[in-house]
Amino acid sequence: MAAGSRLFSRGSKCVRWGRSTGLACAVAAGFLAILSGQGPVRGSVDRAGIAPSAHIFETLVAQPESAPTRVAVGPGGRDVRLAGELTDGVAERLARLLDASPQVERIHLTSEGGLVDEGAAIGALVARRGLVTYVPDYCVSACTLAFVRGRERLVLPGSRLGFHAPYESGPFGIEIEADSAPERAAYLAAGLEPSFVDAALRVRPDELMIPDAARLVTARVATGVVDAYRFPDSTLDDGPDAEHARSVILRDVLVLASLETKAPAVIEGIAAWYLDGYARGRSEGEAVDGIRRMAARAVAGGLRTAEPGTHVALGRLTLRTLDRIGPEREDACAAAGEGIGAVLARGGLAEPDLALARAALRHAIFPETAPDAPEPAPLASRDCAGLRRALTAALALPPEDAAGALHPLLFPEPALAHVTAQAE
């Protein structure tokens, strides 16, 4: 899941004193230029052709005030979550917390960077305690100096580590080239591939190198790639409250926005379940699965009594989902087998299909309470080719018969058993 708001700059300009890695200001300025039609972000792809992360640009856009950096111990006392800018005093706060938390084994890093000295000091704490470092979302600029000091250095397949050369920020935002020797020494001492270090420190302060996970491992930046089920979820690290939880689920399952006014209790219930799981240490993979199952049940419950014409349109949407060829084909097939709720709750819907779903949900009738806690419902395995044939045959029938033939395909049991009980 995308993390909540992790913003860097203050007002329309970044005023920084002392040696720092000032990536966020430059990236935010460039991204704002894109939004205003003034041109692209310069250097948003590194010299090896590595694709940029739009999410990083999105989260670094200038805002009136960025949230304070959060440093907290997670559930069970084994994880520390650090989220936000590396400003003066963050390393000292972390040191105090580690002194009071002897069971900590890992540190989750989600940061847009900040002061080089703070990143290096955090790295020294990590090394002294023999902590595992883990990036669940992004770790940019000075944050990488902390990451590379981990006993193990772990990332998710989609984690973003961003590298560029350091600089000094003087009055009026003037950038002054800085000696990168300390950063080079720190990266090399951590065992990073020398050619990777050379490439990273040639990147201008207003550019960004974002290697993919495979390259991070081959360059010895990361020691391994883990899945989203391995560690406690860090998505709410910068704001563990109901409003942040709500914004995350609405961003993760786009069709839920259609339920905000018609079924606010559904949104509140899913957000409460998610927030409770975050506090208990549920993994991000389990959280995403649960949110989508709850959303699927709520959406399917609302659409079950829709007009026949809507069911025909949703049948065509499901067939289009099955016909798409791509890396998510297996997930699309599984969702289609679980019914229209799962199809609409998963990511990757094309905009026309999303618009169709929103239109259908505007007329849906929802239960007044949120779906039950989302234990996986066992469904008979459904052959993808067989499901496609069944949908095709149903859609070939006259309109008055097609809806009836589609109904068991769009709303298979037992996915709707408890939703039906709530609605009837």
Side-chain angles (χ1 to χ4, degrees), residues 1 66 129 216 230 352 363 373:
M1 274 184 291
S66 58
R129 282 288 298 265
L216 291 172
R230 177 75 173 271
H363 303 288

Side-chain angles (χ1 to χ4, degrees), residues 20 23 35 61 87 111 119 131 172 197 221 236 286 334 354 357 372 377:
S20 63
L23 159 75
L35 296 180
V61 171
T87 53
S111 173
L131 300 180
F172 312 111
V197 175
V221 179
L236 293 178
E286 293 170 313
L354 194 55
D372 296 336

Side-chain angles (χ1 to χ4, degrees), residues 148-308:
V148 299
R149 301 296 302 275
R151 173 173 54 84
E152 291 183 78
R153 307 189 287 266
L154 304 175
V155 296
L156 292 174
S159 298
R160 280 70 50 93
L161 269 74
F163 297 84
H164 69 120
Y167 80 107
E168 291 179 339
S169 181
F172 312 111
I174 297 173
E175 296 177 9
I176 305 169
E177 184 177 352
D179 177 18
S180 62
E183 289 72 39
R184 183 182 304 277
Y187 288 143
L188 293 176
L192 275 62
E193 180 186 274
S195 62
F196 179 94
V197 175
D198 290 340
L201 294 179
R202 283 198 301 268
V203 178
R204 291 164 48 98
D206 59 347
E207 298 179 344
L208 182 61
M209 184 172 94
I210 308 175
D212 62 21
R215 178 60 179 138
L216 291 172
V217 172
T218 60
R220 302 191 292 274
V221 179
T223 60
V225 181
V226 298
D227 65 31
Y229 298 87
R230 177 75 173 271
F231 298 131
D233 185 16
S234 280
T235 305
L236 293 178
D237 281 0
D238 60 349
D241 54 60
E243 186 54 35
H244 276 80
R246 178 180 166 280
S247 68
V248 168
I249 67 167
L250 290 176
R251 186 167 59 239
D252 190 62
V253 184
L254 296 178
V255 295
L256 283 178
S258 303
L259 280 64
E260 280 194 277
T261 56
K262 293 183 67 71
V266 170
I267 304 297
E268 292 170 6
I270 297 175
W273 177 86
Y274 171 50
L275 184 59
D276 178 70
Y278 171 82
R280 293 172 181 269
R282 184 183 290 132
S283 73
E284 181 176 344
E286 293 170 313
V288 171
D289 290 347
I291 289 168
R292 292 185 178 176
R293 281 196 297 268
M294 294 179 83
R297 293 172 182 176
V299 166
L303 293 174
R304 182 172 175 269
T305 56
E307 295 181 353

Side-chain angles (χ1 to χ4, degrees), residues 54-419:
H55 177 63
I56 291 181
F57 298 152
E58 173 188 318
T59 56
L60 296 180
V61 171
Q63 294 291 322
E65 186 66 28
S66 58
T69 302
R70 185 169 180 266
V71 184
V73 177
R78 298 176 62 195
D79 298 84
V80 165
R81 282 91 173 268
L82 189 156
E85 183 185 351
L86 303 185
T87 53
D88 282 323
V90 171
E92 184 179 346
R93 289 169 54 198
L94 176 62
R96 290 198 300 267
L97 186 146
L98 291 175
D99 286 343
S101 309
Q103 292 182 311
V104 168
E105 301 172 358
R106 291 177 296 269
I107 182 167
H108 300 215
L109 296 168
T110 303
S111 173
E112 60 271 35
L115 298 174
V116 167
D117 290 346
E118 289 294 323
I122 292 169
L125 289 169
V126 166
R128 186 159 62 246
R129 282 288 298 265
L131 300 180
V132 173
T133 50
Y134 169 55
V135 174
D137 193 343
Y138 61 89
C139 173
V140 172
S141 201
C143 176
T144 62
L145 294 172
F147 176 76
V148 299
R149 301 296 302 275
R151 173 173 54 84
E152 291 183 78
R153 307 189 287 266
L154 304 175
V155 296
L156 292 174
S159 298
R160 280 70 50 93
L161 269 74
F163 297 84
H164 69 120
Y167 80 107
E168 291 179 339
S169 181
F172 312 111
I174 297 173
E175 296 177 9
I176 305 169
E177 184 177 352
D179 177 18
S180 62
E183 289 72 39
R184 183 182 304 277
Y187 288 143
L188 293 176
L192 275 62
E193 180 186 274
S195 62
F196 179 94
V197 175
D198 290 340
L201 294 179
R202 283 198 301 268
V203 178
R204 291 164 48 98
D206 59 347
E207 298 179 344
L208 182 61
M209 184 172 94
I210 308 175
D212 62 21
R215 178 60 179 138
L216 291 172
V217 172
T218 60
R220 302 191 292 274
V221 179
T223 60
V225 181
V226 298
D227 65 31
Y229 298 87
R230 177 75 173 271
F231 298 131
D233 185 16
S234 280
T235 305
L236 293 178
D237 281 0
D238 60 349
D241 54 60
E243 186 54 35
H244 276 80
R246 178 180 166 280
S247 68
V248 168
I249 67 167
L250 290 176
R251 186 167 59 239
D252 190 62
V253 184
L254 296 178
V255 295
L256 283 178
S258 303
L259 280 64
E260 280 194 277
T261 56
K262 293 183 67 71
V266 170
I267 304 297
E268 292 170 6
I270 297 175
W273 177 86
Y274 171 50
L275 184 59
D276 178 70
Y278 171 82
R280 293 172 181 269
R282 184 183 290 132
S283 73
E284 181 176 344
E286 293 170 313
V288 171
D289 290 347
I291 289 168
R292 292 185 178 176
R293 281 196 297 268
M294 294 179 83
R297 293 172 182 176
V299 166
L303 293 174
R304 182 172 175 269
T305 56
E307 295 181 353
T310 297
H311 285 172
V312 171
L314 293 173
R316 294 194 183 103
L317 186 158
T318 303
L319 187 57
R320 286 195 297 274
T321 299
L322 288 174
D323 285 340
R324 290 197 186 96
I325 298 175
E328 295 186 355
R329 178 72 174 271
E330 186 176 336
D331 289 344
C333 182
E338 292 177 22
I340 188 60
V343 170
L344 298 182
R346 65 184 291 274
L349 280 182
E351 184 54 40
D353 290 343
L354 194 55
L356 189 159
R358 288 170 178 149
L361 289 168
R362 278 198 295 270
H363 303 288
I365 299 174
F366 298 96
E368 294 183 0
T369 58
D372 296 336
E375 293 300 323
L379 282 173
S381 60
R382 193 185 292 266
D383 173 59
C384 205
L387 178 57
R388 184 183 291 103
R389 287 193 297 271
L391 286 165
T392 301
L395 290 167
L397 295 172
E400 60 272 17
D401 300 323
L406 286 167
H407 201 275
L409 303 176
L410 297 176
F411 308 100
E413 299 293 345
L416 273 180
H418 73 289
V419 175

